[in-house]
Amino acid sequence: MTTQDRWNAVDQYVTELLAPADEALDAALAASAAAGLPPIAVAPNQGKFLHLLARVMGARRILEIGTLGGYSAIWLARALPENGRLISLEFDPAHADVARANLEHAGLGAVAEVRTGAALDLLPRIEKEPGAGPFDLVFVDADKVNNPRYVEWALRLTRPGSLIVVDNVVRGGAVTDASSGDPSVTGTREMFELVANEPRLDATAVQTVGVKGWDGLLVARVVG
C-alpha cells in the first residue's frame, strides 16, 4: 500500500466506527457533487471533530466562513441546542442554494442560516446586527488569501472563552516555505504570524493526513 492508501484506510476505519454513514450527510455530499461543487468538504471524521468541539464548548452561536454545500454546517448545527443559531457565509450563490437545501433536508433550517456574499462585506453587517453575536465558535474554511482578515473579524465577533478554528493551514507542507509565491500560502503564513503575536489568542495547530491529503487546522482560544 502507498502512504496515501494507508491514510485513506485509517480514515475509513475511524469513520466507519465513530462517524458512520448518515442519510442527511450522505445526501448533502451527493447533492453537492450533482451540482458540480468541488469535492473539498471536510472529511467525515473531521466533521465529527468540529461537532465535538462545539458540543464541548456548549456553543449556542456559531459562525462559519465558507459554506460550500453545507456539509460542515450540518455537523456544526447538530451540536446546537434548540434555541441555538448558526450563520454560515458563502460567496457563490449557487453553492449557497445547494447548502440551504441540504440544511433543510437535514432538518436544520430553523437553526442554520446561509448568507450569500463576500465574507468581508457580510461580517461588518453581522457586527452591527443585534443578537447575532458574540459567537462561541468560529470556523474559517474559505479562501486562504483572506485568512488573516477572517481571524481579525473572528476576534471582533467572539468573547473570552470562544474558539476560532481555521482549516487547511498546512497546505501539504508548503506553509513552511517563506519564499512561496502562492497567495494561499502567503495568506496562511500571515494568519499564523497574526495569531502568534495576538495576546488575546492562545493557539496551536495540528497536521492531518487522510482522504484529504496532508493538511491541518489551527485552533485558537480567545483569552481576552
Side-chain angles (χ1 to χ4, degrees):
M1 295 176 69
T2 67
T3 299
Q4 183 65 57
D5 287 338
R6 290 183 181 276
W7 292 350
N8 294 351
V10 171
D11 263 5
Q12 182 178 357
Y13 174 76
V14 171
T15 296
E16 289 177 353
L17 286 176
L18 304 178
D22 176 289
E23 190 278 330
L25 289 166
D26 291 347
L29 292 177
S32 297
L37 275 62
I40 55 174
V42 299
N45 55 339
Q46 295 168 348
K48 182 67 176 288
F49 178 70
L50 293 172
H51 174 86
L52 289 173
L53 281 181
R55 292 289 297 271
V56 168
M57 282 291 299
R60 305 178 72 86
R61 293 184 179 91
I62 297 175
L63 173 65
E64 180 181 52
I65 302 175
T67 314
L68 194 62
Y71 183 79
S72 55
I74 292 173
W75 277 110
L76 288 166
R78 283 178 169 178
L80 290 168
E82 288 185 7
N83 60 346
R85 186 183 188 194
L86 178 144
I87 298 175
S88 189
L89 311 181
E90 173 54 47
F91 177 77
D92 190 306
H95 294 184
D97 287 342
V98 173
R100 291 188 189 102
N102 286 334
L103 287 160
E104 286 288 346
H105 180 77
L108 296 165
V111 297
E113 175 188 4
V114 179
R115 300 188 182 184
T116 307
L120 294 179
D121 293 333
L122 298 174
L123 291 165
R125 302 176 201 172
I126 292 172
E127 184 181 34
K128 297 176 183 178
E129 183 179 321
F135 294 95
D136 305 303
L137 188 152
V138 178
F139 178 48
V140 179
D141 190 12
D143 61 297
K144 313 311 171 188
V145 175
N146 285 311
N147 270 347
R149 308 293 80 79
Y150 296 148
V151 169
E152 289 172 341
W153 270 106
L155 259 176
R156 295 175 67 164
L157 294 169
T158 49
R159 56 168 179 79
S162 295
L163 284 185
I164 300 169
V165 181
V166 184
D167 200 11
N168 306 127
V169 300
V170 172
R171 318 296 307 163
V175 71
T176 63
D177 183 1
S179 65
S180 175
D182 182 342
S184 293
V185 173
T186 56
T188 300
R189 287 177 59 88
E190 183 185 346
M191 182 273 300
F192 267 111
E193 291 164 10
L194 183 154
V195 170
N197 292 303
E198 174 53 69
R200 293 171 293 171
L201 291 175
D202 186 20
T204 192
V206 294
Q207 300 182 77
T208 59
V209 297
V211 296
K212 298 299 178 181
W214 177 22
D215 216 318
L217 53 86
L218 175 139
V219 180
R221 183 173 182 266
V222 181
V223 296

